[in-house]
Amino acid sequence: MNHLKTGRALQLEGLEFATNKVTIGFKCDAGTKIQLAQEANLYGLTLSEYVDTILGQRHHQTKQQKTEMTYSKEELEVLIKKIAFYENDRMQQAYETHKGNTLNIMCVDNTERQFQVNHIEDIFTIIMNLVKLS
């Protein structure tokens, strides 16, 4: 039987035969939870479904990372252009201005949402919630 640092026993008996999904709990900082919830919302998933998807892909991504770490010169040039396009001076300036802050944004669907700015990608997420594309 495995033990956690708290001394409580981790009950794993019978899990290998479980046919239904089981609950797992973990602690993370509030900013991570907010970011995951926002990403889940963008994909039309619940937070639980989104985290399950991320965790379900961990072995697949690890294999891909090991086998796809080499890129041709042309592929690298395309990736560099994409990064330069999305991480341009205005995005970088917005990120630096709001880094570490929580912003209250009135989204295109007339709902007010909070966005934590921890990464430059968060600025892109905010912009996508401000613009109606259809």
Side-chain angles (χ1 to χ4, degrees):
M1 183 176 293
N2 296 323
H3 293 279
L4 300 174
K5 290 181 182 180
T6 61
R8 293 184 296 173
L10 184 59
Q11 300 295 323
L12 298 177
E13 294 80 19
L15 283 181
E16 63 272 14
F17 304 112
T19 56
N20 295 327
K21 293 204 176 215
V22 296
T23 300
I24 183 172
F26 66 97
K27 292 184 182 252
C28 64
D29 63 88
T32 299
K33 184 174 182 178
I34 291 169
Q35 185 176 9
L36 287 170
Q38 290 169 346
E39 291 169 9
N41 188 47
L42 287 174
Y43 292 115
L45 300 171
T46 66
L47 178 57
S48 179
E49 290 168 333
Y50 185 59
V51 171
D52 183 43
T53 301
I54 291 170
L55 291 175
Q57 292 295 319
R58 72 189 188 285
H59 294 298
H60 177 67
Q61 289 173 346
T62 302
K63 286 180 184 177
Q64 275 188 324
Q65 288 169 348
K66 289 179 183 175
T67 59
E68 296 178 7
M69 290 299 283
T70 57
Y71 296 97
S72 69
K73 183 179 179 191
E74 294 80 18
E75 290 171 320
L76 284 175
E77 288 173 1
V78 168
L79 291 172
I80 289 168
K81 286 179 185 177
K82 285 182 179 182
I83 291 170
F85 177 81
Y86 287 105
E87 295 190 9
N88 58 56
D89 291 341
R90 290 183 69 198
M91 291 282 283
Q92 193 69 40
Q93 181 181 14
Y95 170 65
E96 291 299 328
T97 300
H98 300 289
K99 180 171 52 175
N101 296 328
T102 300
L103 303 179
N104 293 318
I105 303 294
M106 183 59 72
C107 297
V108 71
D109 63 359
N110 290 323
T111 60
E112 187 173 326
R113 294 181 46 204
Q114 290 187 333
F115 293 88
Q116 178 75 31
V117 180
N118 294 317
H119 305 90
I120 194 167
E121 295 90 342
D122 298 329
I123 299 298
F124 185 78
T125 300
I126 291 169
I127 291 169
M128 293 304 294
N129 278 276
L130 291 172
V131 178
K132 185 173 183 174
L133 296 175
S134 55

PDB file of all heavy atoms in Angstrom, residues 85-104:
ATOM      1  N   PHE A  85       4.568  36.722 -35.431  1.00  0.00           N
ATOM      2  CA  PHE A  85       3.247  37.268 -35.719  1.00  0.00           C
ATOM      3  C   PHE A  85       2.425  37.392 -34.446  1.00  0.00           C
ATOM      4  O   PHE A  85       1.821  38.432 -34.173  1.00  0.00           O
ATOM      5  CB  PHE A  85       2.508  36.388 -36.732  1.00  0.00           C
ATOM      6  CG  PHE A  85       1.114  36.860 -37.029  1.00  0.00           C
ATOM      7  CD1 PHE A  85       0.898  37.897 -37.927  1.00  0.00           C
ATOM      8  CD2 PHE A  85       0.021  36.282 -36.406  1.00  0.00           C
ATOM      9  CE1 PHE A  85      -0.382  38.343 -38.199  1.00  0.00           C
ATOM     10  CE2 PHE A  85      -1.266  36.723 -36.675  1.00  0.00           C
ATOM     11  CZ  PHE A  85      -1.465  37.761 -37.570  1.00  0.00           C
ATOM     12  N   TYR A  86       2.401  36.348 -33.632  1.00  0.00           N
ATOM     13  CA  TYR A  86       1.567  36.344 -32.427  1.00  0.00           C
ATOM     14  C   TYR A  86       2.216  37.055 -31.249  1.00  0.00           C
ATOM     15  O   TYR A  86       1.528  37.598 -30.400  1.00  0.00           O
ATOM     16  CB  TYR A  86       1.193  34.913 -32.029  1.00  0.00           C
ATOM     17  CG  TYR A  86       0.174  34.329 -32.967  1.00  0.00           C
ATOM     18  CD1 TYR A  86       0.533  33.389 -33.914  1.00  0.00           C
ATOM     19  CD2 TYR A  86      -1.147  34.743 -32.925  1.00  0.00           C
ATOM     20  CE1 TYR A  86      -0.407  32.867 -34.791  1.00  0.00           C
ATOM     21  CE2 TYR A  86      -2.091  34.238 -33.795  1.00  0.00           C
ATOM     22  CZ  TYR A  86      -1.715  33.291 -34.725  1.00  0.00           C
ATOM     23  OH  TYR A  86      -2.634  32.790 -35.585  1.00  0.00           O
ATOM     24  N   GLU A  87       3.520  37.053 -31.183  1.00  0.00           N
ATOM     25  CA  GLU A  87       4.202  37.701 -30.069  1.00  0.00           C
ATOM     26  C   GLU A  87       4.871  38.984 -30.555  1.00  0.00           C
ATOM     27  O   GLU A  87       6.041  39.231 -30.308  1.00  0.00           O
ATOM     28  CB  GLU A  87       5.199  36.741 -29.423  1.00  0.00           C
ATOM     29  CG  GLU A  87       4.505  35.562 -28.775  1.00  0.00           C
ATOM     30  CD  GLU A  87       5.413  34.705 -27.923  1.00  0.00           C
ATOM     31  OE1 GLU A  87       6.563  35.107 -27.678  1.00  0.00           O
ATOM     32  OE2 GLU A  87       4.960  33.635 -27.501  1.00  0.00           O
ATOM     33  N   ASN A  88       4.061  39.798 -31.239  1.00  0.00           N
ATOM     34  CA  ASN A  88       4.569  41.058 -31.783  1.00  0.00           C
ATOM     35  C   ASN A  88       4.745  42.098 -30.670  1.00  0.00           C
ATOM     36  O   ASN A  88       4.437  41.832 -29.503  1.00  0.00           O
ATOM     37  CB  ASN A  88       3.618  41.573 -32.882  1.00  0.00           C
ATOM     38  CG  ASN A  88       2.214  41.779 -32.354  1.00  0.00           C
ATOM     39  OD1 ASN A  88       2.005  42.501 -31.389  1.00  0.00           O
ATOM     40  ND2 ASN A  88       1.248  41.125 -32.980  1.00  0.00           N
ATOM     41  N   ASP A  89       5.223  43.275 -31.039  1.00  0.00           N
ATOM     42  CA  ASP A  89       5.514  44.313 -30.042  1.00  0.00           C
ATOM     43  C   ASP A  89       4.285  44.724 -29.238  1.00  0.00           C
ATOM     44  O   ASP A  89       4.367  44.924 -28.021  1.00  0.00           O
ATOM     45  CB  ASP A  89       6.113  45.553 -30.725  1.00  0.00           C
ATOM     46  CG  ASP A  89       7.515  45.303 -31.261  1.00  0.00           C
ATOM     47  OD1 ASP A  89       8.155  44.322 -30.805  1.00  0.00           O
ATOM     48  OD2 ASP A  89       7.975  46.061 -32.136  1.00  0.00           O
ATOM     49  N   ARG A  90       3.125  44.831 -29.888  1.00  0.00           N
ATOM     50  CA  ARG A  90       1.908  45.258 -29.177  1.00  0.00           C
ATOM     51  C   ARG A  90       1.462  44.190 -28.184  1.00  0.00           C
ATOM     52  O   ARG A  90       1.043  44.508 -27.071  1.00  0.00           O
ATOM     53  CB  ARG A  90       0.801  45.571 -30.172  1.00  0.00           C
ATOM     54  CG  ARG A  90       1.103  46.850 -30.960  1.00  0.00           C
ATOM     55  CD  ARG A  90      -0.001  47.224 -31.893  1.00  0.00           C
ATOM     56  NE  ARG A  90      -1.172  47.650 -31.115  1.00  0.00           N
ATOM     57  CZ  ARG A  90      -2.390  47.708 -31.627  1.00  0.00           C
ATOM     58  NH1 ARG A  90      -2.597  47.375 -32.878  1.00  0.00           N
ATOM     59  NH2 ARG A  90      -3.405  48.095 -30.885  1.00  0.00           N
ATOM     60  N   MET A  91       1.529  42.921 -28.595  1.00  0.00           N
ATOM     61  CA  MET A  91       1.169  41.835 -27.679  1.00  0.00           C
ATOM     62  C   MET A  91       2.142  41.815 -26.501  1.00  0.00           C
ATOM     63  O   MET A  91       1.735  41.647 -25.349  1.00  0.00           O
ATOM     64  CB  MET A  91       1.182  40.484 -28.395  1.00  0.00           C
ATOM     65  CG  MET A  91       0.087  40.302 -29.411  1.00  0.00           C
ATOM     66  SD  MET A  91      -1.491  39.914 -28.659  1.00  0.00           S
ATOM     67  CE  MET A  91      -1.224  38.206 -28.265  1.00  0.00           C
ATOM     68  N   GLN A  92       3.418  41.949 -26.795  1.00  0.00           N
ATOM     69  CA  GLN A  92       4.447  41.932 -25.750  1.00  0.00           C
ATOM     70  C   GLN A  92       4.251  43.095 -24.793  1.00  0.00           C
ATOM     71  O   GLN A  92       4.338  42.929 -23.572  1.00  0.00           O
ATOM     72  CB  GLN A  92       5.842  41.977 -26.390  1.00  0.00           C
ATOM     73  CG  GLN A  92       6.962  41.646 -25.440  1.00  0.00           C
ATOM     74  CD  GLN A  92       6.953  40.191 -25.010  1.00  0.00           C
ATOM     75  OE1 GLN A  92       6.706  39.304 -25.796  1.00  0.00           O
ATOM     76  NE2 GLN A  92       7.225  39.954 -23.738  1.00  0.00           N
ATOM     77  N   GLN A  93       3.929  44.277 -25.329  1.00  0.00           N
ATOM     78  CA  GLN A  93       3.711  45.447 -24.480  1.00  0.00           C
ATOM     79  C   GLN A  93       2.475  45.253 -23.602  1.00  0.00           C
ATOM     80  O   GLN A  93       2.500  45.556 -22.407  1.00  0.00           O
ATOM     81  CB  GLN A  93       3.552  46.698 -25.340  1.00  0.00           C
ATOM     82  CG  GLN A  93       3.354  47.956 -24.531  1.00  0.00           C
ATOM     83  CD  GLN A  93       3.173  49.181 -25.409  1.00  0.00           C
ATOM     84  OE1 GLN A  93       2.939  49.079 -26.602  1.00  0.00           O
ATOM     85  NE2 GLN A  93       3.277  50.350 -24.801  1.00  0.00           N
ATOM     86  N   ALA A  94       1.400  44.714 -24.172  1.00  0.00           N
ATOM     87  CA  ALA A  94       0.189  44.456 -23.388  1.00  0.00           C
ATOM     88  C   ALA A  94       0.484  43.445 -22.289  1.00  0.00           C
ATOM     89  O   ALA A  94       0.030  43.601 -21.144  1.00  0.00           O
ATOM     90  CB  ALA A  94      -0.932  43.955 -24.298  1.00  0.00           C
ATOM     91  N   TYR A  95       1.255  42.423 -22.627  1.00  0.00           N
ATOM     92  CA  TYR A  95       1.611  41.421 -21.626  1.00  0.00           C
ATOM     93  C   TYR A  95       2.435  42.052 -20.501  1.00  0.00           C
ATOM     94  O   TYR A  95       2.143  41.844 -19.315  1.00  0.00           O
ATOM     95  CB  TYR A  95       2.383  40.265 -22.276  1.00  0.00           C
ATOM     96  CG  TYR A  95       2.983  39.322 -21.266  1.00  0.00           C
ATOM     97  CD1 TYR A  95       2.171  38.560 -20.442  1.00  0.00           C
ATOM     98  CD2 TYR A  95       4.361  39.213 -21.123  1.00  0.00           C
ATOM     99  CE1 TYR A  95       2.707  37.706 -19.491  1.00  0.00           C
ATOM    100  CE2 TYR A  95       4.907  38.360 -20.185  1.00  0.00           C
ATOM    101  CZ  TYR A  95       4.082  37.613 -19.376  1.00  0.00           C
ATOM    102  OH  TYR A  95       4.625  36.778 -18.440  1.00  0.00           O
ATOM    103  N   GLU A  96       3.447  42.811 -20.847  1.00  0.00           N
ATOM    104  CA  GLU A  96       4.304  43.430 -19.830  1.00  0.00           C
ATOM    105  C   GLU A  96       3.510  44.396 -18.950  1.00  0.00           C
ATOM    106  O   GLU A  96       3.739  44.481 -17.751  1.00  0.00           O
ATOM    107  CB  GLU A  96       5.488  44.156 -20.489  1.00  0.00           C
ATOM    108  CG  GLU A  96       6.494  43.233 -21.144  1.00  0.00           C
ATOM    109  CD  GLU A  96       7.166  42.262 -20.177  1.00  0.00           C
ATOM    110  OE1 GLU A  96       7.365  42.606 -18.991  1.00  0.00           O
ATOM    111  OE2 GLU A  96       7.493  41.138 -20.609  1.00  0.00           O
ATOM    112  N   THR A  97       2.543  45.097 -19.543  1.00  0.00           N
ATOM    113  CA  THR A  97       1.726  46.050 -18.792  1.00  0.00           C
ATOM    114  C   THR A  97       0.823  45.348 -17.780  1.00  0.00           C
ATOM    115  O   THR A  97       0.626  45.836 -16.663  1.00  0.00           O
ATOM    116  CB  THR A  97       0.863  46.888 -19.763  1.00  0.00           C
ATOM    117  OG1 THR A  97       1.727  47.589 -20.653  1.00  0.00           O
ATOM    118  CG2 THR A  97      -0.017  47.872 -19.017  1.00  0.00           C
ATOM    119  N   HIS A  98       0.281  44.202 -18.161  1.00  0.00           N
ATOM    120  CA  HIS A  98      -0.731  43.540 -17.335  1.00  0.00           C
ATOM    121  C   HIS A  98      -0.259  42.252 -16.656  1.00  0.00           C
ATOM    122  O   HIS A  98      -1.038  41.603 -15.971  1.00  0.00           O
ATOM    123  CB  HIS A  98      -1.968  43.244 -18.190  1.00  0.00           C
ATOM    124  CG  HIS A  98      -2.574  44.479 -18.766  1.00  0.00           C
ATOM    125  ND1 HIS A  98      -3.237  45.403 -18.006  1.00  0.00           N
ATOM    126  CD2 HIS A  98      -2.586  44.962 -20.032  1.00  0.00           C
ATOM    127  CE1 HIS A  98      -3.645  46.393 -18.771  1.00  0.00           C
ATOM    128  NE2 HIS A  98      -3.267  46.155 -20.008  1.00  0.00           N
ATOM    129  N   LYS A  99       1.022  41.906 -16.834  1.00  0.00           N
ATOM    130  CA  LYS A  99       1.562  40.665 -16.266  1.00  0.00           C
ATOM    131  C   LYS A  99       1.293  40.591 -14.764  1.00  0.00           C
ATOM    132  O   LYS A  99       1.545  41.527 -14.018  1.00  0.00           O
ATOM    133  CB  LYS A  99       3.064  40.580 -16.544  1.00  0.00           C
ATOM    134  CG  LYS A  99       3.730  39.346 -16.013  1.00  0.00           C
ATOM    135  CD  LYS A  99       5.164  39.177 -16.491  1.00  0.00           C
ATOM    136  CE  LYS A  99       6.014  40.386 -16.275  1.00  0.00           C
ATOM    137  NZ  LYS A  99       7.420  40.180 -16.640  1.00  0.00           N
ATOM    138  N   GLY A 100       0.721  39.444 -14.337  1.00  0.00           N
ATOM    139  CA  GLY A 100       0.445  39.219 -12.930  1.00  0.00           C
ATOM    140  C   GLY A 100      -0.874  39.808 -12.453  1.00  0.00           C
ATOM    141  O   GLY A 100      -1.260  39.600 -11.306  1.00  0.00           O
ATOM    142  N   ASN A 101      -1.564  40.518 -13.324  1.00  0.00           N
ATOM    143  CA  ASN A 101      -2.835  41.148 -12.955  1.00  0.00           C
ATOM    144  C   ASN A 101      -4.021  40.296 -13.374  1.00  0.00           C
ATOM    145  O   ASN A 101      -3.928  39.485 -14.287  1.00  0.00           O
ATOM    146  CB  ASN A 101      -2.964  42.529 -13.604  1.00  0.00           C
ATOM    147  CG  ASN A 101      -1.909  43.497 -13.116  1.00  0.00           C
ATOM    148  OD1 ASN A 101      -1.475  43.430 -11.972  1.00  0.00           O
ATOM    149  ND2 ASN A 101      -1.483  44.390 -13.978  1.00  0.00           N
ATOM    150  N   THR A 102      -5.141  40.535 -12.711  1.00  0.00           N
ATOM    151  CA  THR A 102      -6.412  39.957 -13.116  1.00  0.00           C
ATOM    152  C   THR A 102      -7.226  41.067 -13.749  1.00  0.00           C
ATOM    153  O   THR A 102      -7.423  42.118 -13.139  1.00  0.00           O
ATOM    154  CB  THR A 102      -7.163  39.366 -11.916  1.00  0.00           C
ATOM    155  OG1 THR A 102      -6.350  38.342 -11.329  1.00  0.00           O
ATOM    156  CG2 THR A 102      -8.491  38.772 -12.336  1.00  0.00           C
ATOM    157  N   LEU A 103      -7.673  40.841 -14.981  1.00  0.00           N
ATOM    158  CA  LEU A 103      -8.432  41.856 -15.706  1.00  0.00           C
ATOM    159  C   LEU A 103      -9.896  41.450 -15.791  1.00  0.00           C
ATOM    160  O   LEU A 103     -10.216  40.294 -16.080  1.00  0.00           O
ATOM    161  CB  LEU A 103      -7.872  42.018 -17.122  1.00  0.00           C
ATOM    162  CG  LEU A 103      -6.379  42.370 -17.230  1.00  0.00           C
ATOM    163  CD1 LEU A 103      -5.973  42.461 -18.689  1.00  0.00           C
ATOM    164  CD2 LEU A 103      -6.087  43.676 -16.516  1.00  0.00           C
ATOM    165  N   ASN A 104     -10.783  42.401 -15.532  1.00  0.00           N
ATOM    166  CA  ASN A 104     -12.215  42.202 -15.720  1.00  0.00           C
ATOM    167  C   ASN A 104     -12.552  42.663 -17.130  1.00  0.00           C
ATOM    168  O   ASN A 104     -12.366  43.834 -17.460  1.00  0.00           O
ATOM    169  CB  ASN A 104     -13.018  43.002 -14.692  1.00  0.00           C
ATOM    170  CG  ASN A 104     -12.805  42.480 -13.297  1.00  0.00           C
ATOM    171  OD1 ASN A 104     -12.775  41.288 -13.071  1.00  0.00           O
ATOM    172  ND2 ASN A 104     -12.646  43.379 -12.349  1.00  0.00           N
TER     173      ASN A 104
END
